[in-house]
Each structure stands twice: as C-alpha cells, then as structure tokens.
Amino acid sequence: MKQSHNLPPVLLLIILSLSLAVTSCKKDEEEEETAGLTVTTKDASHIGRGWATLNGQIKTDKNTFTISFEYDKSTTYGHSVTGTPETVKGDTTKSIYANLPVLEPNTQYYFRLKAVSSGGTTYGSDMSFTTTALRGFNITFNPGLVYGSVTDIDGNIYKTITIGNQTWMAENLKVTKYNDGTIIPFNPVAAMWYSATSGGYSWYNSDSLGYGALYNWHAAGSDKLCPAGWHVPSDAEWSILVTYLGGESGAGAKLKESGTVHWSVPNSGATNEPGFSALPGGYRNSAGTFNSIKQKGYWWSASAASSTEAYYRSMGYNYGNIDRTSTNKVSGFSVRCVKDN
C-alpha cells in the first residue's frame, strides 16, 4: 500500500505564500525594467535625391539602451543604421538621429527607432519619407574647346579641360568616398558639421547635386579626395592658373560659366574662355549654415594657412575678379581637382 504524504494545512499555506511573493517580485522587476521608457520615431529631415536624416527620441529613467533605426522600402525592415548617440543610459531624454547618404531618388522609405536593453527591445512607430526626384542640370561648357573626362570612385564622370600646363576638372566634385574606398562622413546636421574634426561633406540645403558637394577642409586636405592621379590644387597651383589668365582682376570672369541659368543676374563679365565653367555652389559656414548658392562660388586649396584656417578662391555673380583668402577649416566649399604632373 502507498503511503500518503499530505502536508499539514499550515505548512502548505506558508509555501503558497512564499511562491506568490517570489512571483510578484519577479513581475515587479520586469515592469521596472521598462517603466518610464518612451521610444518615439519623429519626422525625417534633410531629405534630398539620395539622402535623408532619420530622427527620434528616447525617454527613460532606468537601464542602458543601444539605439538604432530600422529602414527599408517597406515595413519588413531589411536594413538598420546606428543612432547618434548609440547608447542612452539612466534617467534622461535624448534626441536621436542617423544619416542615410545612399538612397534611391523619388522613392518612399519607411523607418522606426529601436531601443535594445537587457530587458528586451522596444520600437517607435513606423514613419515614412520620400526622396526627391532627379532634376536635369546641364552645365554650359565652352563649345569651341575639346574636353577630356575623368571618373571618380563613385562612378561620376566629369569633363576636364587643359588650361596652360594644367589639366582641371570642369565641374565641381560630388564624390562621397575617398579614393581608397573609405566613406566620407555625410554631415547634414549643423551641430555635427561645426563640431567635426575630420573630413565631412554635405549638399547645399540637402538638394543641389548639380552644383557639387560642399566639403570641409579636413576632407579637401586629406590627399584622398580626388580620383587617383588627381589632387586638390595647392594655393600655388591656383596662383599659376590665375596668373595664366592675366591676374586676379579679370580671371574670375574668364573662369565663370556663361549665362544666368546657374549664376544670378548679371553674372558680370562671364565668358568661360578657358572652359573652366565655374559654378556658384555657395558655401556652408563653420556654424553649419548654408549661404550664397547661385551668387558665389568658393573652392578649397590644399594649403593650410594656420592650424585652424586654409586658403581658398572665390568668385561672385556681380564682379569679374577672383579672390584669395583663408578661413576656418570647418567651412564647407566646393572642390575642383587638378591632374598630377
């Protein structure tokens, strides 16, 4: 005969109470891990033909979270990008962003913010944006001259022109990688722009591909920005070009693209005599603000003026000279490459 092992009622009640207490404690701990956490996906910004900035916010009072965005052409989300900042810890509210520099034009993308901790994963809501469409941008070259060409590491093809003993690009650079394949940081956010201590680029107001990209000097002075066999001209090489064209007082008029399709009226004296076809891509100042597109063009030299400044050349829509000065290396200017001797 089997013996019964019935426990006394009092002991059974004690065991049941302890079990409920442990279960309640675990439940409280799990709730505390996600208590106070809010993950919010916000509208995208800096949207252009092939780029955008994703935005979000995380609010938490506990734990450490690893932050990223998921994105794709549908909400299946086959791609992800690290958020800035990448980690959020403790009692805080943080704005998060991530830059996407290589997207398809005129295409709808979906994205959401993602926060991961030891307690699990939390998502923000699904949001979407549409990149802008490609637009025609036809540069006016000098029809009486013979142009060559050069291709950058991204596959962009540029017309080139020989002026005196130098061969120059006849278009502003728009490459997004150094010639060794390293991606140049895309910095559309103002705070990210003025705090940069290494190479970076942006597009004027995020949508001016035809005028080329704006690079800080850390990129222009890197010796890796131009296609292999080409380089950013030194201050001395700019001076050789200007002297060949008769000096600063008239060289700007000779170098500028003629007409007022891309330059503001009156585009004083513009003849494009040597075929350089200078374009007014404007600039981005050290605070990250864009200025003067269609009115002025600014081009870096590879020559530093000091530990914080470098030399550049500029031209304007209402005068015919070319100016030489120096400015903060964090500024964003156009770049023309010159062929190695």
Side-chain angles (χ1 to χ4, degrees):
M1 175 184 285
K2 293 182 179 180
Q3 292 182 339
S4 176
H5 296 284
N6 292 331
L7 295 174
V10 174
L11 182 57
L12 188 62
L13 182 59
I14 292 173
I15 293 173
L16 180 60
S17 297
L18 289 173
S19 176
L20 290 173
V22 170
T23 302
S24 177
C25 182
K26 288 183 177 180
K27 184 177 180 181
D28 288 344
E29 288 174 355
E30 291 171 355
E31 289 177 348
E32 286 174 6
E33 286 180 350
T34 58
L37 173 64
T38 304
V39 178
T40 306
T41 311
K42 296 196 170 185
D43 290 335
S45 60
H46 304 98
I47 301 168
R49 297 184 185 95
W51 51 88
T53 299
L54 309 183
N55 298 297
Q57 185 182 78
I58 179 171
K59 180 180 181 181
T60 178
D61 59 9
K62 190 175 182 181
N63 287 343
T64 298
F65 294 86
T66 300
I67 310 300
S68 62
F69 289 90
E70 294 184 335
Y71 70 97
D72 212 329
K73 296 176 187 177
S74 71
T75 53
T76 55
Y77 294 123
H79 303 283
S80 65
V81 60
T82 300
T84 301
E86 182 179 1
T87 303
V88 175
K89 182 178 182 180
D91 185 4
T92 187
T93 299
K94 289 284 186 181
S95 294
I96 313 293
Y97 69 88
N99 298 316
L100 300 179
V102 184
L103 301 173
E104 295 179 22
N106 197 29
T107 301
Q108 186 175 31
Y109 286 88
Y110 296 86
F111 69 102
R112 64 182 178 181
L113 185 61
K114 178 181 178 181
V116 180
S117 74
S118 59
T121 300
T122 304
Y123 296 95
S125 58
D126 297 319
M127 299 285 283
S128 69
F129 65 91
T130 301
T131 52
T132 57
L134 288 171
R135 294 182 300 180
F137 192 97
N138 297 314
I139 300 171
T140 302
F141 299 101
N142 188 326
L145 300 175
V146 177
Y147 288 85
S149 66
V150 65
T151 304
D152 67 27
I153 195 169
D154 285 339
N156 299 307
I157 302 173
Y158 306 86
K159 285 188 180 296
T160 65
I161 191 68
T162 298
I163 306 172
N165 294 322
Q166 298 173 313
T167 300
W168 291 78
M169 280 186 175
E171 305 176 51
N172 290 343
L173 192 67
K174 53 188 175 184
V175 72
T176 64
K177 293 191 288 289
Y178 292 114
N179 58 28
D180 63 0
T182 304
I183 294 174
I184 305 168
F186 174 50
N187 295 343
V189 180
M192 191 175 180
W193 181 263
Y194 65 68
S195 63
T197 57
S198 59
Y201 77 97
S202 64
W203 307 101
Y204 192 108
N205 284 347
S206 298
D207 199 19
S208 54
L209 190 61
Y211 288 98
L214 299 177
Y215 301 91
N216 65 23
W217 189 84
H218 301 299
S222 68
D223 295 326
K224 298 187 297 181
L225 187 60
C226 295
W230 294 70
H231 61 275
V232 176
S234 67
D235 183 54
E237 287 174 310
W238 272 109
S239 293
I240 290 171
L241 174 66
V242 171
T243 299
Y244 179 82
L245 296 175
E248 292 183 354
S249 62
K254 294 176 182 179
L255 291 168
K256 290 188 294 181
E257 178 202 47
S258 59
T260 55
V261 174
H262 302 126
W263 283 91
S264 296
V265 177
N267 194 15
S268 298
T271 64
N272 200 19
E273 178 184 322
F276 190 84
S277 304
L279 292 172
Y283 71 100
R284 194 174 192 187
N285 66 24
S286 57
T289 303
F290 295 98
N291 294 277
S292 301
I293 197 167
K294 298 197 72 173
Q295 295 184 337
K296 297 193 75 174
Y298 300 80
W299 293 267
W300 281 121
S301 81
S303 302
S306 69
S307 61
T308 58
E309 295 194 348
Y311 291 109
Y312 69 93
R313 295 304 195 283
S314 63
M315 308 173 208
Y317 75 102
N318 57 352
Y319 56 87
N321 58 300
I322 182 171
D323 297 322
R324 170 188 179 267
T325 188
S326 65
T327 193
N328 195 303
K329 293 177 180 179
V330 181
S331 301
F333 291 160
S334 301
V335 167
R336 289 292 179 101
C337 300
V338 66
K339 193 173 184 178
D340 297 348
N341 290 330

